């Protein structure tokens, strides 16, 4: 028995912010952003919270799967930008959709959040503890970036993607998850400084800070490694993979990964032109778009891979 994706859904806010819009608030240009990242525009949440968006994506996935909210045993939300420290975001989604029978918790693994959450759900389902789970990636990083820092604010967008997964004969074939906490400083966000009556100050929430080149080097090294690992662990030749659905951070990162792995870049779908880097939401949003366009056939082998703050990275190999 394994774990199969039986429904997908996604949601992005209506508000589009183009590169030209950003050139009005920081010193940048459409040409710089497009040529360095492949990003043309992104959605920015003005009314929706992280759990609002996640619940809309989750409901779309449930509708597609034909599963009632009460049938869900487990809700896992990959996010770095929950609405509150507690209740956790997964509990808030539970309340939105009425999944009264689910255990709910968040997975904090930055942009790798969805892949870690999917693999965690698979681990629970494989033991027989749970049968049906909602696995979601959602982030509103627009509330955590410094809108005066051109090195980061041009990269991110807000959104949510969700999948319903269930115990089945066909589905996940292999997975891995990795972390390197010692390198965590190259990509940090939302650091909370102490604040209390003894210190005489209130706690402060810090903005995102990133060493872009270090993150770039990390991604192009570690993503090929974890994909190679998941293929080797299941005895699957790379030629058998129909699509490599990779975290949508930067077109040049994906191009470099394809080149290193000697795989045609056409098998690495991209959509960051329209959404930017939506962090934990990027893999499930792209999965949902492709699924709704009818790109996946039963039996297709697909690799999912994420990388991000932590540092964290990992991969999942599944048969559709
Ligand atoms: O989910 C994971 C999240 N993080 C990532 O995916 C980040 C991975 N890294 C990257 O995608 C790239 O490193 C960036 C797109 C962030 C930057 O591209 P780069 O080719 O590594 O540029 P750079 O940092 O070397 O900067 C080159 C120049 C610098 O100016 P000088 O020092 O050469 O005068 C920057 O100050 O570009 C400047 N710059 C900008 N110029 C216009 C940095 N950001 C901007 C900007 N517009 N938005």
């Amino acid at each position: 028995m394994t774990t199969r994706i039986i429904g997908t859904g996604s949601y992005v806010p209506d508000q589009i912010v183009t590169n030209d819009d950003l050139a009005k608030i920081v010193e940048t240009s459409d040409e710089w952003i497009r040529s360095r990242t492949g990003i043309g525009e992104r959605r920015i949440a003005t009314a929706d919270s992280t759990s609002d968006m996640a619940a809309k994506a989750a409901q779309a996935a449930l509708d597609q799967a034909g599963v009632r909210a009460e049938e869900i045993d487990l809700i896992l939300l990959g996010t770095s930008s929950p609405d509150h420290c507690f209740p956790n975001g997964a509990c808030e989604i539970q309340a939105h959709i009425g999944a009264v029978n689910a255990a709910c918790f968040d997975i904090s693994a930055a942009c790798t959040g969805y892949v870690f959450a999917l693999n965690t759900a698979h681990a629970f389902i494989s033991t027989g503890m749970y049968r049906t789970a909602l696995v979601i990636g959602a982030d509103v990083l627009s509330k955590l970036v410094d809108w005066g820092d051109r090195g980061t604010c041009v990269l991110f967008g807000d959104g949510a993607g969700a999948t319903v997964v269930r115990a089945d004969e066909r589905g996940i074939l292999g997975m891995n998850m990795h972390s390197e906490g010692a390198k965590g400083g190259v990509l940090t966000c939302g650091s909370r400084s102490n604040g209390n009556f003894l210190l005489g100050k209130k706690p402060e929430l810090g903005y995102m800070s990133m060493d872009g080149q270090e993150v770039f080097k990390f991604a192009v090294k570690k993503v090929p490694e974890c994909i190679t690992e998941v293929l080797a662990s299941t005895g699957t030749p790379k030629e058998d993979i129909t699509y490599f659905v990779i975290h949508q951070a930067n077109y040049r990162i994906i191009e470099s990964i394809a080149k290193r792995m000697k795989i045609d870049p056409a098998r690495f779908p991209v959509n960051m032109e329209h959404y930017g880097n939506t962090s934990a939401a990027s893999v499930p949003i792209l999965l949902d778009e492709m699924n709704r366009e009818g790109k996946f056939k039963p039996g297709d082998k697909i690799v999912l891979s994420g990388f991000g703050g932590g540092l964290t990275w990992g991969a999942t190999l599944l048969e559709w």
Side-chain angles (χ1 to χ4, degrees):
M1 194 59 76
T2 183
T3 304
R4 187 170 154 224
I5 294 176
I6 60 169
T8 61
S10 58
Y11 176 83
V12 290
D14 292 335
Q15 181 72 54
I16 297 173
V17 174
T18 64
N19 293 341
D20 287 332
D21 292 331
L22 292 181
K24 292 177 191 147
I25 61 164
V26 286
E27 201 181 324
T28 190
S29 64
D30 180 58
E31 196 281 326
W32 192 96
I33 301 170
R34 274 183 197 275
S35 62
R36 302 275 175 147
T37 69
I39 296 167
E41 60 190 29
R42 72 287 293 143
R43 304 298 181 100
I44 299 295
T46 50
D48 294 297
S49 70
T50 303
S51 63
D52 292 335
M53 295 196 310
K56 288 174 189 166
Q59 192 57 58
L62 287 170
D63 292 345
Q64 191 189 70
V67 168
R68 287 176 299 112
E70 299 80 24
E71 294 175 64
I72 299 295
D73 306 312
L74 175 70
I75 301 177
L76 296 182
L77 172 66
T79 191
S80 310
S81 50
D83 301 337
H84 304 98
C85 293
F86 49 84
N88 68 46
C91 282
E92 294 187 302
I93 297 163
Q94 174 189 38
H96 273 290
I97 64 173
V100 290
N101 297 310
C104 307
F105 59 95
D106 293 358
I107 303 254
S108 175
C111 304
T112 324
Y114 172 79
V115 172
F116 272 28
L118 179 65
N119 290 350
T120 304
H122 175 50
F124 278 110
I125 288 172
S126 306
T127 65
M129 184 168 175
Y130 296 126
R131 177 166 177 260
T132 310
L134 251 175
V135 182
I136 304 161
D139 268 308
V140 179
L141 289 191
S142 62
K143 63 188 174 194
L144 291 169
V145 297
D146 175 353
W147 286 98
D149 174 15
R150 67 178 182 172
T152 53
C153 77
V154 303
L155 303 175
F156 298 95
D158 301 331
T163 47
V164 180
V165 301
R166 182 166 265 177
D168 205 316
E169 298 297 327
R170 194 174 76 226
I172 292 178
L173 299 167
M175 64 173 187
N176 58 58
M177 299 191 272
H178 297 282
S179 308
E180 191 175 2
K183 295 240 176 88
V186 302
L187 178 53
T188 67
C189 186
S191 49
R192 293 185 172 88
S193 66
N194 282 0
N196 56 43
F197 79 99
L198 293 173
L199 293 168
K201 61 175 189 177
K202 291 184 175 171
E204 282 169 14
L205 192 65
Y207 289 124
M208 177 181 306
S209 89
M210 179 177 76
D211 182 335
Q213 291 190 2
E214 282 304 313
V215 177
F216 196 105
K217 282 190 261 175
F218 146 72
V220 301
K221 180 166 186 289
K222 295 299 186 183
V223 172
E225 278 178 21
C226 71
I227 294 177
T228 304
E229 180 189 337
V230 82
L231 294 177
S233 70
T234 53
T236 310
K238 62 186 179 191
E239 292 73 27
D240 285 9
I241 305 301
T242 313
Y243 292 111
F244 296 84
V245 179
I246 310 294
H247 170 48
Q248 302 287 295
N250 181 323
Y251 180 68
R252 288 189 299 136
I253 291 179
I254 292 189
E255 210 174 33
S256 305
I257 292 166
K259 196 171 166 198
R260 270 187 188 223
M261 298 195 71
K262 299 190 174 53
I263 298 169
D264 180 357
R267 284 157 68 201
F268 289 73
V270 289
N271 68 359
M272 81 281 283
E273 183 182 359
H274 300 296
Y275 304 120
N277 176 347
T278 55
S279 187
S282 84
V283 168
I285 289 176
L286 181 54
L287 260 186
D288 182 48
E289 280 191 347
M290 296 181 74
N291 187 25
R292 285 172 195 269
E293 285 165 12
K295 294 262 170 68
F296 303 134
K297 298 187 301 298
D300 277 353
K301 288 189 178 147
I302 299 158
V303 167
L304 313 180
S305 180
F307 59 90
L311 296 170
T312 54
W313 66 102
T316 313
L317 167 62
L318 56 89
E319 188 177 356
W320 195 258

